[in-house]
Amino acid sequence: MQAQALGQLRSRAARLGSTPLPVRLPTCARAGSRPSRSAALTVQARYSPAPRSGSWSPGGTPGIVDRVLAALPYILPYFDAVAYGRYLFHLYPAAKAAIVPFLPAMSLYHSLPFGSFIVFFGLYIGVVNNRSFSRFVRFNAVQAILLDILLALPRLLETVLTPPASGWGAQVYIYSQSFVWIFTTMWVVYGIVCSFLGQYARIPFIADAADQQIG
């Protein structure tokens, strides 16, 4: 009997040794997979980043007042860019129709001593740094200010390099001046239209700087 029992134990041990036991090795969770509730705790948090395009906020769109206030700052770069279009207006009188409705306001704006600086700092201090205004208004104000700052670069270049009076250099100078006006007017129109639609007008490179400015 003892020999028979010992033989049965040996046969069972042999069967167990030949059968692989299921072993689960720890693995890294794949990105995007949901971990088991028994294996990890789920921590939920809500993060609402500043919207970059589309609607004003997840809860709604800006009101009429915010849309108008967001569009008004783009008048600053438009008024300051008019000097770059003088050659274009002379060559193509029809292009002057784009500024005729604003000529009285432009004349008043440029007649004020340091009018550009007054409006510039007024926007920056009174709107950009004023938390009572919505982020939508402050973002467009910063973007308009940065666009206006870019207009100072060609003026600084003119103080270093005297514009040529004739030849191909004069032609390049005239075309570059006209391009500055067209470039600025294009983005001004884009900013105003998007503002009235209640959407963020994101000008390349300038929009990223505006985001960093207002946080």
Side-chain angles (χ1 to χ4, degrees):
M1 294 293 293
Q2 293 180 353
Q4 185 179 1
L6 183 60
Q8 291 178 355
L9 289 176
R10 289 178 177 177
S11 62
R12 290 180 181 178
R15 287 197 300 270
L16 291 175
S18 61
T19 303
L21 297 177
V23 179
R24 294 184 178 181
L25 298 176
T27 58
C28 296
R30 187 179 58 182
S33 62
R34 299 181 61 182
S36 173
R37 293 184 178 180
S38 60
L41 295 176
T42 302
V43 179
Q44 294 182 352
R46 292 184 178 181
Y47 171 63
S48 300
R52 291 182 174 269
S53 61
S55 62
W56 154 240
S57 67
T61 56
I64 299 299
V65 176
D66 280 348
R67 297 185 188 192
V68 173
L69 292 177
L72 285 177
Y74 289 102
I75 296 177
L76 174 63
Y78 184 70
F79 281 9
D80 287 338
V82 68
Y84 293 99
R86 59 188 183 275
Y87 299 108
L88 185 67
F89 302 148
H90 178 73
L91 295 174
Y92 304 99
K96 193 174 182 179
I99 66 169
V100 168
F102 306 100
L103 284 178
M106 288 182 180
S107 300
L108 178 62
Y109 170 76
H110 290 289
S111 64
L112 294 175
F114 305 103
S116 179
F117 290 100
I118 294 174
V119 176
F120 179 90
F121 286 107
L123 279 176
Y124 189 81
I125 298 174
V127 178
V128 177
N129 290 338
N130 192 345
R131 295 283 178 174
S132 62
F133 288 101
S134 65
R135 188 185 189 278
F136 182 73
V137 175
R138 293 167 57 231
F139 171 84
N140 285 281
V142 173
Q143 192 164 233
I145 289 175
L146 294 176
L147 185 61
D148 189 64
I149 291 176
L150 289 180
L151 293 175
L153 299 180
R155 294 171 188 162
L156 293 176
L157 187 60
E158 290 181 12
T159 60
V160 178
L161 302 175
T162 303
S166 61
W168 64 269
Q171 294 294 326
V172 172
Y173 175 74
I174 291 174
Y175 290 143
S176 62
Q177 292 281 299
S178 301
F179 173 79
V180 171
W181 183 82
I182 294 174
F183 176 85
T184 306
T185 303
M186 177 184 66
W187 290 118
V188 165
V189 173
Y190 170 73
I192 292 176
V193 171
C194 288
S195 297
F196 278 121
L197 292 177
Q199 299 178 349
Y200 276 80
R202 297 193 60 84
I203 302 175
F205 304 107
I206 297 179
D208 294 335
D211 285 331
Q212 295 178 1
Q213 181 67 32
I214 62 178

